[in-house]
Amino acid sequence: MTDNQDLIDLVRTIPDYPKPGIQFRDVSTLLLDGPAFRRTINRLIALVDPASFDLIAGIEARGFIVSAAMSYALEKGKLMLRKPGKLPGKSVSIDYALEYGTDRIEMHVDAIRPGQRVLLVDDLLATGGTAMAAVKLLRGQGAVVEQALFIVDLPDLGGARKLAAAGVKPEALMAFAGD
């Protein structure tokens, strides 16, 4: 992680959202600043070797924003990992636990070819529940997932350790202590 104080200053903290005790790190304020968003995407791109992956998978919803911008800049295909019922074709899904409940993500069954290398992208890494579900879902369809990028990491919640233990290198532009 490099010094990204210019970006850190644009991330808003919302206390007690979505439930008491949670300090929600909101990147929407960073996304409102066009030049800062461009710097964010450029810095994320600098963390990867574009030759090391074929597709970029973005997790709904903020992960779509980041992955779409990276896909455009790198001329890579973009795979959508969606909430249930949003995909029109045949899909495969996985349930997972969040720090404040449960959820499910899904993808089209024909979105990847076995052996395709996929870079996972989302806005924030907390407990790792969503990211780990995405990795399991992608790998279950034959993808090779070795790296995941995030704007924000909450290292105290252990998501980066879970990804690393699963053989996925997690990287983020910034980290915030606590939850």
Side-chain angles (χ1 to χ4, degrees), residues 29-45:
T29 47
L30 182 147
L31 300 177
L32 287 168
D33 184 316
F37 178 56
R38 184 183 186 102
R39 289 193 307 275
T40 299
I41 298 303
N42 287 340
R43 291 175 193 176
L44 286 169
I45 288 171

Side-chain angles (χ1 to χ4, degrees), residues 9-21:
D9 292 342
L10 295 172
V11 175
R12 168 175 56 180
T13 299
I14 301 174
D16 300 319
Y17 181 83
K19 71 176 196 173

Side-chain angles (χ1 to χ4, degrees), residues 67-87:
S67 62
M70 290 182 68
S71 294
Y72 174 80
L74 295 172
E75 297 183 14
K76 298 284 185 172
K78 185 198 171 313
L79 175 93
M80 296 180 293
L81 302 176
R82 304 249 15 215
K83 304 275 185 196
K86 303 284 186 175
L87 296 171

Side-chain angles (χ1 to χ4, degrees), residues 20 24 37 68 89 108 123 157 166 175:
F24 188 83
F37 178 56
H108 282 124
D123 68 317
L157 296 180

